[in-house]
Amino acid sequence: MSGSSKKGFTLQQKHGLTGWVFLTPAVLLICWTSFYPMIQAFILSLKTGMGVNLSFSGFSNYARILKDPTFKQTLFNTFFYLIIQVPIMLVLALILASLLNNKQLRFKGLFRTCIFLPCATSLVSYAMIFRSLFANDGFVNTVLRGFGMNPVMWFANAWTARAVIIIALIWRWTGYNMVFYLSGLQNIEYSVYEAARIDGASPMQTFFKITVPLLKPTILLTTITSTNGTLQLFDESLNLTNGGPGKSTMTMSHYIYNTSFVQSPNFGYAAAMSIIILILVAILAILQMKVGDER
Amino acid sequence: MKRKIISALLALTMVISMTACGGGSGADSNSGDTAADAGAGDAAADAGSADAAADTGSGAEEAAPVEGGSADENTLTVWTWDPNFNIYAIQKAAEIYAQDHEGFKVEVSEVQSDDIETRITTAVAAGDLSTLPDIFLMQDNSFQKYATNYPDVFTELTSVGIDFSQFSAAKVAYSTLDGKNYGIPFDNGAVINCMRTDYLEQAGYTIDDFTDITWSDYMEKAKVVLEKTGQPILTSQAGSPDLIMMMLQSCGSSLFKEDGSVNIDGNAELKQIMEIYVQMVKDGTLVEVTDWDQYIASLNNGTTVSALNGCWIMASVTVAEDQSGKWAITNMPKLDGASNATNYSNNGGSSWAISSNCQKVDLAVDFMNSTFAGSNALYDDVISKGALATWAPAGESEAYNQPVEFFGNDAIYAKIVEFATHTPSNITGAFYYDARDAVGVAVSNICQQGADIDSEIKTAQETVEFNMGG
């Protein structure tokens, strides 16, 4: 390519160009499969009507969101999951990862596999299994009775139902995040720990003064992906509780799905709500990057 | 270098989050797949898809359904959902039709009713109807929603030679919009009260004590039954308004008025019905279970005295063969004091539709006309599966008068056909599921969270009006 050009490229330009050539297919694919639908979704969000009888109506769908009590309820539910579940999960994952990073530990591979395994299960099937575990005469209540405690009607109360969703999410995703931390930990020189030990640092001190700061980029990554994932939570809400009791465990994505497929279809409104989720995710990601990145 | 890694990670994160968002905002296309995955879960979770739910036993993931028409001139593709019920029926129909039409075949794909609806919605949204099969089955409760929003999906059947007057008028009304017929009625969802006679005996009752009674009488007897047998008279899926909808239709009332406006707030019958439901939950005579599987389990393992549901529930009741002879069928209680109250109602039921993608409309219509709208042999056969005809001539057949051993040698089919003729019609409309869901949420909040009945009814009314306003 450079030969045919009159002036020719410098070496640096050539390298840059090669990079772009490699990037182009991926960029085009992303534009076509992600950005194009996103733009279409945005255009759709400016239309109202039922089914295919749509007409442009400006930002009326966005104004409608502000007046929708169900959307507010689902927004609350989703943020509740986010605020409770993500920190618990990440702390657990970090603790497990540092335990499993111990060089003296035997059967490390086995433990790692066991903890990662939940993540390989299908979202729908694990949600259904949790539903039967927490059913009125399910396994959990049988165990509670065995200990002489009163059984809990898990799905009959808003707070216990939300608790079940959070427990399920922690079970499903802790191992996934642990793997990120493990790989992050492998990148930390073992000699750093040795030096710390020689200097008389306690395990707690090593954890907070060495592990956490050096893992910061990974922690930031997992926080952003978990936040993102939780804001788009769908399968658990649909399959585990079906949003119930009432709408007290329904997530935003579940409501969007209902608006499109369960209720009389209102795609414009559903698209508008999706755009709102996009904006929320973007804002949270930017905030987290600002807080977490101290360059 | 470290800085580069960090920035690469961040860039990656942004890309991931954005692609993922793209999926989220394109909810229409993306959720389609998820819904297909959720097949069995959906069916179980939403008892509104009543017929589908009757078959949760075969919850296994089915093979990918055949999309579009068949290349073969003599083959029709069909989407329907229950191997023991409607799949059996359409295959039997094809067998009967093939006797006079050499080489005729149907290619049936098992697709849950929710998934059929999702697929239709997705196909229309994508503007590509070529994925639709020649024939599909649709829940009666959904028919108006699809006929209103997506009339292009259907082949209009008003003047293709099918004699709709031979079906019950109330049934045909589900698949008729603005005087145009879009569906061929299939099964009947007449409500039956299936009761365990051995439990009733323990409580000192017979099935006659529960025939032609009112709800207040029923509630008193239910308390006696609970006391004597320790079992609740009814079980119900928490959050599902099935029972309430059946009770509402039994007095000819609907969640919508004739003019299509919402009829929840100020609907005296609805409030009375919700009070009965809540009271029975308090009395312990109605136990709410978490999901459909547990509902079916309660029928089969003897932890409830009766099943009050559409007649398709028989398929699930008769699974417990050891209980043969211990069940009997009667009509449902009627609401006290309501002027149009009856002992009869409907839940579920479905109709066949010929899609607009069908290239062999003549064949499809002739097939339907010679079977579901014209074959006694077909209906006599499928009755063994609990598929009750809504085609009048079939009801006069001998097969309907045969005693059934499982239900104490009663001629239950003739009985159910009789029930069906008394059933008042209801108004569904395009927003039926919005209204149904809102009522379900209200009942759930009242029963489980102790919310106030009047304010919940008001909220339900507002929710539906909000949905209609968009």
Side-chain angles (χ1 to χ4, degrees), chain B residues 274-341:
Chain B
M274 285 167 84
E275 280 164 351
I276 291 175
Y277 188 92
V278 174
Q279 187 57 44
M280 285 185 72
V281 172
K282 273 188 199 146
D283 291 346
T285 50
L286 193 161
V287 167
E288 290 197 311
V289 293
T290 9
D291 57 36
W292 183 258
D293 295 344
Q294 295 205 355
Y295 174 68
I296 297 297
S298 72
L299 306 181
N300 292 336
N301 65 19
T303 49
T304 181
V305 176
S306 72
L308 187 65
N309 222 324
C311 57
W312 41 261
I313 197 70
M314 288 193 296
S316 301
V317 169
T318 50
V319 167
E321 282 167 17
D322 56 314
Q323 293 168 7
S324 177
K326 293 181 181 169
W327 288 87
I329 282 177
T330 185
N331 54 18
M332 69 184 288
K334 84 180 194 189
L335 205 64
D336 308 75
S339 53
N340 297 321

Side-chain angles (χ1 to χ4, degrees), chain B residues 192-247:
Chain B
I192 53 174
N193 185 6
C194 271
M195 305 193 88
R196 280 284 290 268
T197 45
D198 51 338
Y199 280 141
L200 293 184
E201 211 169 299
Q202 280 180 42
Y205 291 120
T206 65
I207 189 77
D208 293 334
D209 292 312
F210 286 87
T211 307
D212 294 327
I213 61 171
T214 61
W215 276 101
S216 55
D217 194 9
Y218 181 85
M219 286 163 77
E220 287 312 310
K221 284 173 179 163
K223 282 184 206 161
V224 178
V225 171
L226 177 66
E227 195 184 309
K228 296 273 173 64
T229 67
Q231 303 297 348
I233 199 154
L234 280 176
T235 44
S236 160
Q237 190 189 345
S240 157
D242 265 11
L243 186 59
I244 287 172
M245 300 312 296
M246 288 184 254
M247 289 162 77

Side-chain angles (χ1 to χ4, degrees), chain B residues 17-38:
Chain B
S17 64
M18 289 182 116
T19 33
C21 285
S25 9
D28 10 349
S29 57
N30 195 27
S31 322
D33 300 339
T34 328
D37 286 345

